[in-house]
Amino acid sequence: MSKERFGLAVAQMGPIHLNDSRESTVARLMEMMREAAGRGAKLVVFPELALTTFFPRYWMSEEDAEARFFEPSMPSPATQPLFDLALSLGIGFYLGYAERTENGRHFNTSILVDEHAKIVGRYRKIHLPGHSDHKPEAPFQHLEKKFFEVGNEGFGVWPMLGTTIGQCICNDRRWPETFRVMSLQSAQMVVLGYNTPSWNIHWKEPAHLRMFHHLLSLQANAYQNALWIGAAAKCGAEDGFHMIGGSAIVAPSGEIVAQSQSEEDEVIFVSCDMALGDNFRQHIFNFAKHRRPEHYGLITERTGAGEPLVRGTTS
Ligand code: CDV
């Protein structure tokens, strides 16, 4: 049982506007990285697509999007200073960005970088929300299905910084399978970034539900998988398009132990007791003892809901 403390920082970002440069954005990340390290963090979590505005809200060609918003390499010239700073501070980080592969494929990607500034883990977003067609009647678009392919590398976890860390991105947090697959690989902590528009373009969802469901998803998945979860928003109004804040650190008890107060750049920090999850893992969520996978087959056999299974009766 690990008795160690793990300093976890979540670096929320306020808006990044269309015309903001990569350099000015990276400077903001660096300032928050310094603060996180000063507060004792081993790891700082940045948002999804942390280098640009949330561009899937705009209709444009794939070529235009690639030229303006995608990174063909990581580190890139613009992000190298962030890696250099991480190395000098001895701090790890999670960063979300739009990845263009060597073969010209496009993914909504995050990386885990260790305290030696080495990329140790890469995740390509699997649960892509939104649509691929143009919806001119909508106040904004959500074109993740147009600009990105579904991630092709599964849900991984990585031994780093003295623990085992999984990563996912934004919409993934709403799906219990995301966290269960990582906790079955002994994840102790899962980190993620998000861009959650305050308005739903598909139906008149009451705005307050956006924050409620965000926190509900983090809390339920932390508890049911005995995980520490750190979630970093990009938030506020990007060129008038508002996104929720609510960056949070959630304990394996399911309790929120830190939450952002603003919709600006803001660092939150918790010295995490890494033994806390052991209590849940050894008792109520002792997977080896209590899980019944022989009854979970439909989860991988079916995608959408279908007919009830035909069952016999015992009468
Ligand atoms: N970037 C996202 O994945 N956003 C989704 C919205 C569209 C529902 C989210 O889950 O927050």
Side-chain angles (χ1 to χ4, degrees):
M1 192 184 294
S2 161
K3 292 265 185 279
E4 262 186 42
R5 293 261 164 192
F6 186 107
L8 175 63
V10 166
Q12 172 175 285
M13 298 187 79
I16 302 176
H17 302 297
L18 257 178
N19 290 327
D20 290 351
S21 68
R22 292 278 206 294
E23 287 70 21
S24 67
T25 302
V26 170
R28 288 166 58 185
L29 297 174
M30 290 170 69
E31 189 177 329
M32 290 198 284
M33 181 179 274
R34 279 190 205 93
E35 180 179 341
R39 292 169 76 174
K42 280 188 176 185
L43 180 75
V44 56
V45 184
F46 295 120
E48 172 191 34
L49 299 175
L51 302 175
T52 66
T53 199
F54 189 60
F55 64 87
R57 75 166 67 87
Y58 299 109
W59 179 255
M60 71 190 104
S61 70
E62 282 84 345
E63 292 73 24
D64 286 350
E66 177 180 301
R68 192 153 177 195
F69 301 110
F70 280 75
E71 311 298 319
S73 65
M74 189 57 63
S76 54
T79 54
Q80 187 61 54
L82 185 69
F83 283 73
D84 294 343
L85 179 65
L87 180 64
S88 72
L89 295 170
I91 189 172
F93 66 94
Y94 163 104
L95 179 74
Y97 66 100
E99 176 194 5
R100 183 205 183 274
T101 71
E102 276 180 9
N103 303 328
R105 300 177 70 179
H106 299 110
F107 296 100
N108 185 343
T109 294
S110 62
I111 47 172
L112 281 168
V113 181
D114 72 8
E115 70 275 36
H116 309 296
K118 182 169 180 273
I119 298 174
V120 291
R122 180 179 65 205
Y123 169 70
R124 292 171 169 163
K125 186 173 180 179
I126 288 174
H127 296 107
L128 294 176
H131 51 100
S132 55
D133 57 319
H134 190 200
K135 297 193 181 303
E137 72 289 356
F140 56 90
Q141 310 294 301
H142 196 112
L143 294 164
E144 287 195 58
K145 288 190 192 294
K146 173 178 168 72
F147 294 134
F148 303 116
E149 284 181 55
V150 172
N152 59 352
E153 297 183 323
F155 296 106
V157 307
W158 291 269
M160 63 183 288
L161 300 168
T163 189
T164 305
I165 306 182
Q167 56 181 328
C168 62
I169 303 178
C170 195
N171 189 252
D172 289 319
R173 73 198 187 288
R174 303 182 194 272
W175 300 87
E177 295 87 350
T178 300
F179 294 89
R180 185 51 56 90
V181 169
M182 290 192 269
S183 56
L184 284 169
Q185 299 171 74
S186 304
Q188 310 257 314
M189 177 179 284
V190 171
V191 293
L192 62 108
Y194 59 98
N195 287 267
T196 300
S198 300
W199 305 107
N200 188 332
I201 60 171
H202 302 290
W203 65 285
K204 279 187 190 290
E205 181 179 0
H208 75 275
L209 288 180
R210 283 286 161 131
M211 182 65 78
F212 174 67
H213 289 150
H214 154 64
L215 295 174
L216 179 69
S217 299
L218 298 182
Q219 292 183 257
N221 282 298
Y223 168 61
Q224 290 168 355
N225 296 286
L227 292 166
W228 283 95
I229 298 182
K234 182 143 63 61
C235 59
E238 291 187 334
D239 293 302
F241 298 99
H242 191 264
M243 299 186 293
I244 66 165
S247 298
I249 297 176
V250 182
S253 59
E255 294 166 294
I256 298 169
V257 289
Q259 191 174 341
S260 62
Q261 302 297 305
S262 74
E263 292 181 345
E264 305 289 338
D265 291 6
E266 180 182 340
V267 177
I268 58 174
F269 173 83
V270 170
S271 173
C272 303
D273 173 1
M274 295 308 289
L276 193 57
D278 294 342
N279 297 321
F280 296 93
R281 269 186 288 277
Q282 285 165 12
H283 300 286
I284 185 82
F285 294 122
N286 184 329
F287 287 175
K289 203 165 167 187
H290 304 305
R291 288 187 77 247
R292 295 288 173 252
E294 66 273 25
H295 294 293
Y296 307 156
L298 280 188
I299 288 178
T300 53
E301 287 161 20
R302 285 188 187 170
T303 306
E307 294 297 314
L309 294 178
V310 179
R311 296 177 193 280
T313 61
T314 53
S315 58

